[in-house]
Amino acid sequence: MWPPFSLNRPLTWVGLAGLTLSVWLPDLALRGVAFTLVGLGLADAWRQVRRQHQYSRLGQEALALTEDGVIITDAANRILAVNPAFTRITGFSFDEVRGRNATSLAAPRHDSAFFARYWQTLQATGRWEGEMWNRRKHGDEYPEWLRVRAVTDDSGRLSHHVCLFTDISMHKARERDLRRIGFEDPLTGLPNRRRLHDLMGSRLRHLRAGESLDIALIDIDGFKQVNDSLGVEQGDRLLARFGQRLAHQMAGGVVGRLGGDEFMVIRTTTFDDHDKWVAGLQAHLAEPFELQGHSLRLGLTIGSCRAPEDGRESGTLFQRLESALYTAKRHGRNHCQRFRPALDIQESPQLGMVNDLRHALATGSQLELHYQAQHRLDDGGLVGWEALLRWRHPRDGMISPADFIPLAERHGLMASLGNWVIDEALACRSRWRRLGVPELPVWINVSALQMFQGELESALSAGLARHGVPASLLGLEITESVLLDERAGDIAPRLEALRALGHPVAIDDFGTGYSSLGYLKQLPLDKLKLDRTFVRALPGDRADAAIVTAVLAMARGLDLEVIAEGVETEAQRDFLLAAGCELVQGFLYARPEPAAAIEARWHPLRSGDGGAALAAAEANG
């Protein structure tokens, strides 16, 4: 690392020559000169010694500063030196390991074949790097990332080994946590949707002759009322106890939580008692739960199926379970429905579309986002865009969202579809930032399924990090149906957390659902989006005019912005402007268009004086 001490220096040779001459020269003056030369040589040698000492001290300081452990061994792998980090990591002091073979510190997890490969690689290449398990002083084992280098002398013979290692036990623990998070429901500890797919596939592959799988999808009726009455904390406790009771009842089977208040159970059986088994599950789970002094009896809606009769693939069985559960809910709560082929026959015209939608999601090539501009009413200035999902089918052309969104919700594709929209909108917004498009938000629609399946926050955070877009440039439009869906639980804290990250939040299609003025006071919102059904007949329809005027007055009182969608005529625009509406969206201003069309208008003017002209044009809408 540092240059070695050397006699091959001019002043050193001069000093040696002076020393020789001082003996033989007869003249005292000449001897004095010779002694002067000796002094210069000694001074130079002393400077070398001091420099070497300083270099050695700096090297020791560097080794003491590093957080990685360092071991230096001789050719026989006996420990000659360690640094302080070695003691911090292993607990051994230098005196305790001096002269020991370094391999004696290894944990007994590695067999002789491992060490044979280790020495073979080190001898062949002079280096080795990889993961190894070692033991600390108190006996506990830990993983380390080890790098070893063989050091040779001037003749090429092995003289030392230098080992540098890092304790990676924390890294391993994080990996375990990530695997657990990826396959385990954090509230109940039960397998999540992804893990259930794997477990069901495994059980299907290992079915023997005469065996079947009984599968049930269980939804707790009215769970939102439990959260509203007792609080979210008690609601979570109830879900955990529900999962425990279900797991106890299904000993030897598989129990998992798909999200919200939906659970799944799987059993391998040789009995033909599917209906009796489902009825037994319902009766056992209907027993009261004691919670905070309350005795709660839960109603359950169950969809069930049986393999291999109803399918031999986990994806097909999941789809048929959801179809059975959906049918059970249509027949009323606290009801059981076993899948039957008639449910598929009922939907046979749409099954092809479902399969095509799955393919479109897998490839991502047929789905598109079109963007409709939003404007200020007073000056027409651009304030943002709404991202609208489109499906360009290779055979059927453009398919309306009204046709495929309900299918996606019914067949468990909505979470994947929503995640695709998030990623695509952020990718587009990132690209626009590079092109210099104004820093205005793109608004996306968030479905109820995205909220209650719990994947929204993780999809947003991952997308923002991946594309480097601030949260303020991605607005979230929540429909009123989300607020009323009991599966979403208490939505206010989640919206508050999203707003705290910087996302603006709006209520979409306001007034078309069972609107409650109460939630407008409680929920953290930035904007109301007035549905086009109230704008279409303006200004002639007195009832719509009165509703619009009332909504605008209420929004001003709550300090909320209002954007009216579906503005197509100048008369509608003039009425809304007079009524105090600030923002609009509709064909009068802009039609939805692909991102490429917006970029094509922007990019050609980026050079020369056109950039300033375009910036002014975009700012003024």
Side-chain angles (χ1 to χ4, degrees), residues 1 43 87 108 152 154 157 185 187 346 417 474 486 526 543 617:
M1 181 175 181
T87 301
T152 57
D154 293 338
R157 289 180 300 181
D185 174 59
L187 177 62
Q346 203 172 31
L417 201 59
L474 187 70
E486 62 192 26
D526 299 289

Side-chain angles (χ1 to χ4, degrees), residues 331-576:
H331 285 84
R333 298 289 180 172
N334 203 30
H335 182 73
C336 299
Q337 175 69 58
R338 179 177 176 178
F339 172 81
R340 60 182 188 275
L343 299 180
D344 267 353
I345 294 172
Q346 203 172 31
E347 295 186 0
S348 56
Q350 298 175 330
L351 285 181
M353 185 181 291
V354 172
N355 290 329
D356 290 346
L357 183 56
R358 291 183 191 276
H359 176 72
L361 272 172
T363 61
S365 58
Q366 301 173 21
L367 299 174
E368 301 175 4
L369 286 184
H370 288 200
Y371 298 86
Q372 187 172 28
Q374 300 173 336
H375 294 266
R376 284 190 302 271
L377 255 178
D378 54 0
D379 61 2
L382 182 68
V383 295
W385 296 268
E386 180 184 5
L388 302 168
L389 183 60
R390 298 290 185 263
W391 180 13
R392 192 180 299 276
H393 195 281
R395 183 187 64 248
D396 301 331
M398 197 68 78
I399 298 178
S400 168
D403 294 329
F404 68 84
I405 292 295
L407 284 178
E409 291 178 341
R410 183 167 180 179
H411 293 277
L413 301 177
M414 201 59 218
S416 299
L417 201 59
N419 292 346
W420 184 90
V421 170
I422 290 171
D423 190 73
E424 181 66 19
L426 287 171
C428 180
R429 183 62 268 193
S430 175
R431 190 166 62 250
W432 287 358
R433 295 186 82 198
R434 294 193 298 272
L435 293 175
V437 177
E439 296 274 293
L440 299 172
V442 169
W443 293 80
I444 62 171
N445 292 282
V446 176
S447 74
L449 290 172
Q450 282 176 277
M451 294 297 294
F452 82 76
Q453 287 179 353
E455 298 179 353
L456 176 64
E457 288 85 353
S458 59
L460 287 171
S461 61
L464 292 172
R466 181 163 53 252
H467 298 291
V469 175
S472 59
L473 294 183
L474 187 70
L476 309 177
E477 294 187 359
I478 314 293
T479 61
E480 287 185 337
S481 62
V482 176
L483 308 177
L484 301 172
D485 196 315
E486 62 192 26
R487 296 172 296 180
D490 188 1
I491 199 173
R494 297 179 66 185
L495 293 184
E496 187 64 58
L498 291 170
R499 284 189 78 217
L501 293 174
H503 293 285
V505 178
I507 293 296
D508 193 17
D509 299 335
F510 181 76
T512 59
Y514 299 97
S515 303
S516 167
L517 301 183
Y519 68 64
L520 291 181
K521 295 192 302 181
Q522 301 166 6
L523 293 179
L525 301 173
D526 299 289
K527 186 183 297 186
L528 299 180
K529 196 165 189 185
L530 191 62
D531 190 72
R532 67 181 68 247
T533 57
F534 301 112
V535 176
R536 186 181 301 121
L538 292 179
D541 190 295
R542 294 179 58 188
D544 285 343
I547 291 173
V548 170
T549 303
V551 169
L552 291 170
M554 176 191 64
R556 282 193 294 271
L558 295 173
D559 197 24
L560 295 173
E561 287 185 319
V562 176
I563 179 169
E565 61 178 348
V567 178
E568 299 181 0
T569 68
E570 294 182 357
Q572 293 169 349
R573 177 198 63 191
D574 295 341
F575 176 87
L576 291 168

Side-chain angles (χ1 to χ4, degrees), residues 220-240:
I220 301 175
D221 298 336
F223 187 74
K224 186 175 185 298
Q225 281 67 42
V226 176
N227 278 338
D228 292 343
S229 303
L230 302 180
V232 175
E233 183 178 346
Q234 294 300 321
D236 288 347
R237 188 171 300 174
L238 177 60
L239 288 174

